[in-house]
Amino acid sequence: MSEEANGTRTPTSRWAAVLDLLATRARLSVTETARELAVSEATVRRDFAELARRQLVTRHHGGVVATSVAYELPYRYRSSQADGALGRIATAAAALVAPGDVVALNGGTTTTATARAITAREDLVGDDGTPLTLVTNALNIAAEAVLRTHVQCVSLGGVARPESYEVTGPLAAQVIAGLWFDVAVVGVNAFSAAEGATCRHDDEAAVVRAMVERSQRVVVVAGAEKLGRRTFAAICPAERVGTLVTTAAEDDPEVEGLRARGVEVVCV
């Protein structure tokens, strides 16, 4: 039985899989994509049409070709994220964003997945036509978000870190100091009730800390493995975080500790 027949592959997961294939092959036919995804050719044609409508691919002679600069980014930031733990976090975090919001995101695999989930929501244009505004210090997130016609993308300047594709330094912090955000979606290396949100590098922490300070709401996105830990550089105390979206279990002691600090914890 195919994934399409047994219902284990959703449209968004198929689209992510198509983009992953394009990242390495640059061109896909309907036939080979149907074989790779174990779905019908009719389903693939519909998926190709939707991806083309979203300006993520270009239709070409019975298939599609990659057109985005995002495909040139290292592969670890293009992995399929719509299924599994990362996809659950991204979907739940994206649901916390309201139409017309100004959203700040730092870099990382979890925030990259969340950015994709947010920018896929065409309902986030405000009633008065105000677009969703996404502000990020992550080059890979900006490269994908700029393709969305309903999103205003603001990319911060600074010194780029090759391992994370985040820009850091005084230039990024100076720009953030002149902005206000409705919500900051923050990826971290560790999060605990006692030590709050932390990451491994002080320059990255400084930029994320500035995002947090300029945000009305703060959402931390983190897998269960990051809870109850502490790393080198402080971002903010647990009390500054409004919501944590995590794969941890409801009865996890750290979840209970964070809720006692006033953090809303969404377990997915």
Side-chain angles (χ1 to χ4, degrees):
M1 181 181 294
S2 71
E3 286 184 294
E4 181 184 39
N6 66 24
T8 60
R9 192 179 277 280
T10 63
T12 50
S13 72
R14 292 196 308 271
W15 301 337
V18 169
L19 295 179
D20 280 350
L21 290 171
L22 276 176
T24 56
R25 303 182 189 182
R27 181 187 301 267
L28 290 171
S29 70
V30 170
T31 301
E32 75 173 307
T33 305
R35 182 176 63 251
E36 290 279 356
L37 302 187
V39 298
S40 69
E41 292 191 2
T43 295
V44 171
R45 290 189 184 93
R46 289 194 297 271
D47 289 344
F48 282 0
E50 180 60 23
L51 289 170
R53 187 184 72 81
R54 295 174 180 238
Q55 299 180 312
L56 294 174
V57 302
T58 298
R59 299 296 295 270
H60 181 73
H61 300 308
V64 290
V65 296
T67 57
S68 168
V69 67
Y71 294 118
E72 299 174 4
L73 294 167
Y75 185 78
R76 67 195 180 102
Y77 281 97
R78 294 190 300 261
S79 60
S80 296
Q81 50 82 27
D83 288 330
L86 199 60
R88 297 198 305 274
I89 291 174
T91 299
L96 301 175
V97 177
D101 271 356
V102 179
V103 183
L105 295 106
N106 65 324
T109 53
T110 310
T111 48
T112 295
T114 302
R116 289 172 181 160
I118 292 172
T119 58
R121 288 186 54 195
E122 296 183 3
D123 63 311
L124 289 178
V125 176
D127 292 337
D128 60 354
T130 302
L132 169 77
T133 299
L134 189 152
V135 181
T136 184
N137 69 324
L139 300 176
N140 63 303
I141 291 177
E144 293 188 30
V146 73
L147 300 174
R148 305 289 194 175
T149 57
H150 62 287
V151 175
Q152 177 177 263
C153 178
V154 178
S155 179
L156 300 176
V159 179
R161 295 182 61 90
E163 61 269 38
S164 66
Y165 306 100
E166 291 178 282
V167 297
T168 62
L171 181 58
Q174 181 179 356
V175 173
I176 293 172
L179 304 175
W180 288 108
F181 310 122
D182 294 299
V183 57
V185 179
V186 177
V188 300
N189 292 126
F191 188 43
S192 72
E195 285 88 14
T198 59
C199 71
R200 295 190 183 96
H201 303 285
D202 58 347
D203 54 350
E204 290 181 9
V207 172
V208 181
R209 195 159 51 240
M211 288 181 175
V212 167
E213 291 171 354
R214 305 295 288 182
S215 296
Q216 183 176 352
R217 294 179 291 133
V218 178
V219 176
V220 167
V221 288
E225 72 282 357
K226 295 181 179 179
L227 298 191
R229 300 177 56 231
R230 179 192 65 197
T231 49
F232 174 65
I235 295 172
C236 67
E239 291 84 355
R240 182 64 180 89
V241 176
T243 305
L244 165 67
V245 182
T246 182
T247 52
E250 289 282 354
D251 60 355
D252 187 310
E254 195 62 35
V255 169
E256 296 176 3
L258 287 164
R259 284 174 173 160
R261 297 285 180 118
V263 180
E264 176 192 22
V265 182
V266 179
C267 299
V268 297

